[in-house]
Amino acid sequence: MSDKRQSSHVQSQRIPESFRENSKTELGACGWILVAASFFFVIITFPISIWICIKIVKEYERVIIFRLGRILQGGAKGPGLFFILPCTDSLIKVDMRTISFDIPPQEVLTKDSVTISVDGVVYYRVQNATLAVANITNADSATRLLAQTTLRNALGTKNLSQILSDREEIAHHMQSTLDDATDDWGIKVERVEIKDVKLPVQLQRAMAAEAEAAREARAKVIAAEGEMNASRALKEASMGYHRVSCRPSASIPSNPDHYRCREKLHHCLPSARRHVAGHHGF
């Protein structure tokens, strides 16, 4: 309950002073005279004035009516039929549908001193027609300009690697920033997307060369690991053949000469190398 009261209080603070005091402030004697004269004119010209006084608003539109320069109590009207006085009332139509626009390519200097060109797209809609008319001259133009500055400010605090990898996070940050800034204008920013990030040609060549060097380094590491595994297999095979050749036979009596492996090593290793080479196809 307290949250609802707080939100209604904040909403009332955003409404212009003239609209908040409209219920307490009278039109004055001259105002009432003009309203009565306009109403009398409608009556005496009734068959014709009906086409001027009755207006139709579409489902996706709202109308703000000004009577002698003041917004009528109740805010925006529509959709459907409504009645105006021809001489004292003026109206402004507001489109409530979602509007999209492209952010022109912006030259941005990143945190690591790289100049890039970034563009995007913004989707927004008018949430409060009264605020969109009374608080700002042109809500559409103001939102477009604010989106450009927000894009430059958001990308100026990021490195190039962060911009290329964290597009969704940057877009969400831009959406929340724009939504907070345009809240007083009655604008709701629904979505922000970063379309393209264009790098300088020299930087593209440098990044391609770096990627190629990294691939060559990985290839050399894989080749070295293969040679190391082959040499390890050769060593293990020679050691196994040496143990078999140095094992004493059960039919021959135990003799110290059979345990002199160092003398037989020169005779065992060449045949082991030939055996392993023939097995692995070296």
Side-chain angles (χ1 to χ4, degrees):
M1 189 68 180
S2 60
D3 295 339
K4 292 183 180 179
R5 291 179 180 176
Q6 185 177 3
S7 61
S8 62
H9 177 67
V10 173
Q11 186 71 16
S12 64
Q13 288 182 344
R14 295 171 184 162
I15 298 176
E17 285 292 331
S18 60
F19 183 69
R20 291 205 303 266
E21 297 177 356
N22 192 27
S23 58
K24 301 179 181 180
T25 305
E26 299 292 339
L27 293 176
C30 295
W32 283 113
I33 291 173
L34 291 175
V35 171
S38 178
F39 189 75
F40 179 73
F41 177 76
V42 171
I43 293 175
I44 63 177
T45 60
F46 174 70
I48 301 174
S49 61
I50 191 66
W51 303 102
I52 302 174
C53 297
I54 294 180
K55 300 294 182 181
I56 300 176
V57 179
K58 298 179 182 179
E59 182 68 30
Y60 55 85
E61 292 178 338
R62 298 295 183 271
V63 171
I64 306 299
I65 301 176
F66 292 88
R67 177 163 294 172
L68 297 178
R70 293 180 177 272
I71 298 177
L72 285 183
Q73 188 176 5
K77 306 295 182 182
L81 294 171
F82 62 93
F83 179 83
I84 65 171
L85 295 177
C87 300
T88 59
D89 294 352
S90 61
L91 57 89
I92 298 178
K93 288 185 178 182
V94 179
D95 195 335
M96 306 295 289
R97 292 176 294 182
T98 299
I99 301 172
S100 64
F101 64 88
D102 293 328
I103 302 176
Q106 302 294 312
E107 296 290 337
V108 180
L109 183 64
T110 62
K111 190 176 181 180
D112 50 355
S113 301
V114 179
T115 303
I116 58 177
S117 178
V118 184
D119 58 356
V121 60
V122 177
Y123 300 88
Y124 77 95
R125 62 181 175 86
V126 177
Q127 190 175 16
N128 191 320
T130 304
L131 297 181
V133 171
N135 284 3
I136 191 168
T137 305
N138 191 336
D140 181 74
S141 176
T143 305
R144 291 172 185 268
L145 295 176
L146 184 61
Q148 297 178 18
T149 57
T150 304
L151 177 63
R152 289 195 295 267
N153 294 335
L155 298 182
T157 59
K158 302 289 184 179
N159 297 326
L160 179 60
S161 58
Q162 295 176 344
I163 294 174
L164 296 177
S165 60
D166 299 337
R167 289 192 181 186
E168 294 184 0
E169 181 181 354
I170 296 173
H172 180 70
H173 173 69
M174 288 183 57
Q175 187 266 335
S176 60
T177 303
L178 283 174
D179 194 20
D180 293 339
T182 58
D183 198 15
D184 293 336
W185 304 341
I187 301 296
K188 173 63 177 178
V189 179
E190 296 179 340
R191 190 178 182 87
V192 177
E193 292 291 342
I194 297 176
K195 293 172 59 178
D196 190 15
V197 179
K198 296 181 180 179
L199 305 177
V201 179
Q202 296 83 358
L203 183 59
Q204 293 180 10
R205 294 176 180 174
M207 293 178 67
E210 182 181 359
E212 184 177 0
R215 288 194 296 268
E216 292 180 356
R218 286 196 297 269
K220 291 180 179 179
V221 169
I222 293 173
E225 290 179 353
E227 293 179 358
M228 184 178 63
N229 293 333
S231 63
R232 186 182 295 112
L234 179 63
K235 180 180 178 182
E236 292 177 356
S238 62
M239 294 286 293
Y241 185 80
H242 175 65
R243 287 194 296 268
V244 171
S245 61
C246 293
R247 184 179 301 170
S249 178
S251 59
I252 301 176
S254 175
N255 193 348
D257 295 336
H258 292 285
Y259 299 98
R260 295 176 183 178
C261 299
R262 292 182 179 179
E263 296 179 359
K264 291 186 178 183
L265 181 62
H266 297 286
H267 301 283
C268 297
L269 285 179
S271 59
R273 289 194 182 97
R274 289 193 300 270
H275 177 73
V276 174
H279 179 70
H280 292 278
F282 291 153

